Amino acid sequence: MKKAIKILILFLLTIFYKVAGLILSRKERVILMYHSISQAGGPLAISPAIFEKQLAYLKNNNYKFITIQELLDSKNEGKIKQNMVLLTFDDGYEDAFQNALPILQKYGYTGSFGIITQFAGTQMGDNSYASWVMNIARHNSNL
């Protein structure tokens, strides 16, 4: 079972690199959307190790990580630069804060964290949502 999971992860990682290379080589705005950064697995999750490998790939290929404001500015000015990428973390899962933030900080990258305000600090099924304290700390970290 573990061998099959490793093979699947390698297969998906290979696909990511090939697709990222095709998409990101074109001159367009690119948004990479994440939900859960965790070892737990699930349809919306990737492991912190794979997330870091993806960021390392982008860094090694000279991609510029941008904010939502920079994305909007480039659209309004009609200036699309190659190698622009925006990272989003949707839903406000606690593991995105716990696992993605240290990796983003390590590389000096930024990301946009979408929060479902009514779920902040709650547990719904298998999903733990970041508390308001975590949300404020992330906001104050300028990531």
Side-chain angles (χ1 to χ4, degrees):
M1 179 69 170
K2 286 184 180 183
K3 186 176 180 179
I5 291 172
K6 285 182 183 179
I7 291 170
L8 178 62
I9 288 171
L10 288 173
F11 174 73
L12 293 174
L13 195 54
T14 302
I15 290 174
F16 167 78
Y17 289 137
K18 290 186 185 289
V19 170
L22 290 173
I23 292 173
L24 298 176
S25 65
R26 297 183 295 183
K27 207 172 185 182
E28 27 182 80
R29 297 166 198 94
V30 175
I31 300 171
L32 298 178
M33 177 181 66
Y34 296 94
H35 287 272
S36 177
I37 310 296
S38 105
Q39 297 291 356
L44 299 177
I46 65 167
S47 73
I50 291 175
F51 176 67
E52 186 164 6
K53 285 181 182 181
Q54 292 174 352
L55 294 188
Y57 171 86
L58 295 168
K59 179 181 182 176
N60 292 336
N61 287 278
N62 300 313
Y63 290 94
K64 179 181 188 268
F65 288 74
I66 60 172
T67 64
I68 290 177
Q69 188 60 55
E70 289 171 315
L71 176 75
L72 294 173
D73 291 346
S74 75
K75 180 181 184 296
N76 292 336
E77 296 166 6
K79 296 179 183 176
I80 304 171
K81 300 174 186 169
Q82 265 188 308
N83 299 348
M84 290 173 53
V85 63
L86 170 65
L87 301 178
T88 69
F89 301 87
D90 296 349
D91 302 323
Y93 292 141
E94 186 174 75
D95 60 54
F97 286 82
Q98 292 172 337
N99 300 320
L101 276 177
I103 297 169
L104 290 170
Q105 289 170 332
K106 175 181 175 180
Y107 286 91
Y109 295 155
T110 186
S112 172
F113 288 76
I115 309 302
I116 302 174
T117 57
Q118 70 185 28
F119 295 161
T122 66
Q123 174 85 26
M124 297 194 68
D126 293 336
N127 301 321
S128 293
Y129 294 89
S131 68
W132 282 114
V133 171
M134 290 177 95
N135 281 294
I136 291 167
R138 193 264 332 143
H139 175 75
N140 291 338
S141 73
N142 293 321
L143 288 177

